[in-house]
Coordinates of all heavy atoms in Angstrom, one line a residue:
A184 N -14.8 6.0 -11.7 CA -15.7 6.9 -12.4 C -16.7 7.4 -11.4 O -17.1 8.6 -11.4 CB -16.4 6.2 -13.6
E185 N -17.2 6.5 -10.5 CA -18.1 6.9 -9.4 C -17.6 6.3 -8.1 O -17.5 5.1 -8.0 CB -19.5 6.4 -9.6 CG -20.2 7.1 -10.9 CD -21.6 6.6 -11.0 OE1 -22.3 6.4 -10.0 OE2 -22.0 6.3 -12.1
G186 N -17.1 7.1 -7.2 CA -16.6 6.7 -5.9 C -15.1 6.6 -5.9 O -14.3 6.8 -6.9
D187 N -14.6 6.2 -4.7 CA -13.1 6.0 -4.5 C -12.9 5.2 -3.2 O -13.7 4.9 -2.5 CB -12.5 7.4 -4.3 CG -13.0 8.2 -3.1 OD1 -13.6 7.7 -2.2 OD2 -12.7 9.5 -3.2
I188 N -11.6 4.8 -3.1 CA -11.1 4.2 -1.9 C -9.9 5.0 -1.5 O -9.1 5.4 -2.2 CB -10.6 2.7 -2.2 CG1 -11.6 1.8 -2.7 CG2 -9.8 2.2 -1.0 CD1 -11.1 0.4 -3.2
R189 N -10.0 5.5 -0.2 CA -8.9 6.3 0.3 C -8.3 5.5 1.5 O -8.9 5.1 2.4 CB -9.5 7.6 0.8 CG -10.0 8.5 -0.3 CD -10.4 9.9 0.1 NE -11.0 10.0 1.4 CZ -10.9 11.0 2.2 NH1 -10.2 12.1 1.8 NH2 -11.5 11.0 3.4
I190 N -6.9 5.4 1.4 CA -6.2 4.7 2.4 C -5.2 5.7 3.1 O -4.5 6.4 2.4 CB -5.3 3.6 1.8 CG1 -6.2 2.6 1.0 CG2 -4.5 2.8 2.8 CD1 -5.4 1.6 0.1
S191 N -5.3 5.8 4.3 CA -4.4 6.7 5.1 C -3.0 6.4 4.9 O -2.6 5.3 4.8 CB -4.8 6.7 6.6 OG -3.9 7.5 7.3
R192 N -2.2 7.5 4.7 CA -0.7 7.4 4.6 C -0.1 7.8 5.9 O 1.1 8.0 6.0 CB -0.2 8.3 3.5 CG -0.8 7.9 2.1 CD -0.1 8.6 1.0 NE 1.3 8.2 0.9 CZ 2.3 9.0 0.8 NH1 2.2 10.3 0.8 NH2 3.5 8.5 0.7
V193 N -0.8 7.8 7.0 CA -0.3 8.0 8.4 C -0.2 6.7 9.0 O -1.1 6.0 9.4 CB -1.3 8.9 9.1 CG1 -0.7 9.2 10.5 CG2 -1.5 10.2 8.4
P194 N 1.1 6.2 9.2 CA 1.3 4.9 9.8 C 0.8 4.8 11.2 O 0.8 5.8 12.0 CB 2.8 4.7 9.8 CG 3.4 5.8 9.1 CD 2.3 6.8 8.9
C195 N 0.3 3.6 11.6 CA -0.2 3.3 13.0 C 0.7 2.2 13.6 O 1.1 1.3 12.9 CB -1.6 2.9 13.0 SG -2.7 4.2 12.3
S196 N 0.9 2.3 14.9 CA 1.6 1.2 15.6 C 0.7 0.0 15.6 O -0.5 0.1 15.6 CB 1.9 1.7 17.0 OG 2.5 0.7 17.7
P197 N 1.3 -1.2 15.5 CA 2.7 -1.6 15.6 C 3.3 -1.7 14.2 O 4.5 -2.2 14.1 CB 2.6 -2.9 16.2 CG 1.3 -3.5 15.8 CD 0.4 -2.4 15.6
S198 N 2.6 -1.3 13.1 CA 3.3 -1.5 11.8 C 3.8 -0.2 11.3 O 3.2 0.9 11.3 CB 2.2 -2.0 10.8 OG 2.8 -2.0 9.5
P199 N 5.0 -0.2 10.7 CA 5.6 1.1 10.2 C 5.1 1.4 8.8 O 5.4 2.5 8.3 CB 7.1 0.8 10.2 CG 7.2 -0.7 10.0 CD 6.0 -1.2 10.8
Q200 N 4.4 0.4 8.2 CA 3.9 0.7 6.8 C 2.4 0.9 6.8 O 1.7 0.5 7.7 CB 4.2 -0.5 5.9 CG 3.4 -1.8 6.2 CD 3.9 -2.9 5.3 OE1 5.0 -3.1 5.1 NE2 2.9 -3.7 5.0
C201 N 1.9 1.7 5.8 CA 0.5 1.9 5.7 C -0.1 0.9 4.8 O -1.2 0.3 5.1 CB 0.3 3.3 5.1 SG 1.0 4.6 6.1
F202 N 0.5 0.6 3.7 CA 0.0 -0.4 2.7 C 1.1 -0.8 1.8 O 2.1 -0.2 1.7 CB -1.2 0.1 2.0 CG -0.9 1.3 1.0 CD1 -0.6 1.0 -0.3 CD2 -1.1 2.6 1.5 CE1 -0.3 2.1 -1.1 CE2 -0.8 3.6 0.7 CZ -0.5 3.4 -0.7
S203 N 0.8 -1.9 1.1 CA 1.8 -2.4 0.1 C 1.0 -2.9 -1.1 O -0.1 -3.2 -1.1 CB 2.7 -3.5 0.6 OG 1.9 -4.6 1.0
Y204 N 1.7 -2.8 -2.3 CA 1.1 -3.3 -3.5 C 1.9 -4.5 -3.9 O 3.2 -4.5 -3.9 CB 1.2 -2.2 -4.6 CG 0.8 -2.8 -6.0 CD1 -0.5 -2.9 -6.4 CD2 1.7 -3.3 -6.9 CE1 -0.9 -3.4 -7.6 CE2 1.4 -3.9 -8.1 CZ 0.1 -3.9 -8.5 OH -0.3 -4.4 -9.7
R205 N 1.3 -5.6 -4.3 CA 1.9 -6.8 -4.8 C 1.4 -7.1 -6.2 O 0.1 -7.2 -6.4 CB 1.7 -7.9 -3.9 CG 2.3 -7.7 -2.5 CD 2.0 -8.9 -1.6 NE 2.4 -8.5 -0.2 CZ 3.6 -8.9 0.3 NH1 4.4 -9.5 -0.4 NH2 3.9 -8.6 1.5
A206 N 2.2 -7.3 -7.2 CA 1.8 -7.6 -8.5 C 1.5 -9.1 -8.7 O 2.3 -9.9 -8.1 CB 2.9 -7.2 -9.5
A207 N 0.5 -9.4 -9.4 CA 0.1 -10.8 -9.6 C 1.0 -11.5 -10.6 O 1.3 -12.6 -10.5 CB -1.4 -10.9 -10.0
D208 N 1.4 -10.7 -11.6 CA 2.2 -11.2 -12.7 C 3.7 -11.3 -12.4 O 4.5 -11.8 -13.2 CB 2.0 -10.5 -14.0 CG 2.3 -9.0 -13.9 OD1 2.5 -8.5 -12.8 OD2 2.4 -8.4 -15.0
D209 N 4.2 -10.6 -11.3 CA 5.6 -10.5 -11.0 C 5.7 -10.6 -9.5 O 5.6 -9.6 -8.8 CB 6.2 -9.2 -11.5 CG 7.7 -9.1 -11.2 OD1 8.3 -10.1 -10.6 OD2 8.3 -8.1 -11.7
P210 N 5.9 -11.8 -8.9 CA 6.0 -11.9 -7.4 C 7.1 -11.1 -6.8 O 7.1 -10.9 -5.6 CB 6.1 -13.4 -7.2 CG 6.5 -14.0 -8.5 CD 6.1 -13.0 -9.6
T211 N 8.1 -10.7 -7.6 CA 9.2 -9.9 -7.0 C 8.8 -8.4 -6.9 O 9.5 -7.7 -6.2 CB 10.4 -10.1 -7.8 OG1 10.2 -9.5 -9.2 CG2 10.9 -11.5 -7.9
L212 N 7.7 -8.0 -7.5 CA 7.3 -6.6 -7.4 C 6.4 -6.3 -6.2 O 5.3 -6.7 -6.2 CB 6.6 -6.2 -8.7 CG 6.1 -4.7 -8.7 CD1 7.3 -3.8 -8.6 CD2 5.3 -4.4 -10.0
I213 N 7.1 -5.7 -5.2 CA 6.3 -5.3 -4.0 C 6.7 -3.8 -3.8 O 7.8 -3.5 -3.7 CB 6.7 -6.1 -2.8 CG1 6.4 -7.6 -3.1 CG2 6.0 -5.6 -1.5 CD1 6.9 -8.5 -2.0
I214 N 5.6 -3.0 -3.7 CA 5.8 -1.5 -3.4 C 5.2 -1.2 -2.1 O 4.0 -1.5 -1.8 CB 5.2 -0.7 -4.5 CG1 5.7 -1.1 -5.9 CG2 5.4 0.8 -4.2 CD1 4.9 -0.5 -7.1
I215 N 6.0 -0.7 -1.2 CA 5.6 -0.4 0.2 C 5.5 1.1 0.4 O 6.4 1.8 0.1 CB 6.5 -1.0 1.2 CG1 6.6 -2.6 1.1 CG2 6.2 -0.7 2.7 CD1 7.6 -3.3 2.0
D216 N 4.3 1.5 1.0 CA 4.1 2.9 1.3 C 4.2 3.1 2.8 O 3.4 2.4 3.6 CB 2.7 3.4 0.8 CG 2.6 4.9 1.0 OD1 2.5 5.3 2.1 OD2 2.5 5.6 0.0
R217 N 5.1 3.9 3.3 CA 5.3 4.1 4.7 C 4.8 5.5 5.1 O 5.2 6.0 6.1 CB 6.8 3.9 5.1 CG 7.2 2.5 5.0 CD 8.6 2.3 5.5 NE 8.9 0.9 5.6 CZ 9.5 0.2 4.7 NH1 9.8 0.7 3.5 NH2 9.8 -1.1 4.8
G218 N 4.1 6.2 4.2 CA 3.6 7.5 4.5 C 4.7 8.6 4.2 O 4.5 9.7 4.7

């Protein structure tokens, strides 16, 4: 409602991924963003 968090979708070395989401209720649910 007030403010935001912005995460870059431009990968940086040495990792090919930008970020990932992990669900607390389902340990098998992992969503990876590689930009």
Side-chain angles (χ1 to χ4, degrees):
E185 294 182 42
D187 61 19
I188 296 173
R189 295 185 324 146
I190 305 169
S191 174
R192 295 189 71 229
V193 179
C195 297
S196 179
S198 176
Q200 70 184 39
C201 298
F202 64 91
S203 62
Y204 172 84
R205 296 176 188 268
D208 61 345
D209 182 358
T211 64
L212 179 61
I213 300 172
I214 303 168
I215 297 174
D216 189 293
R217 290 186 172 91

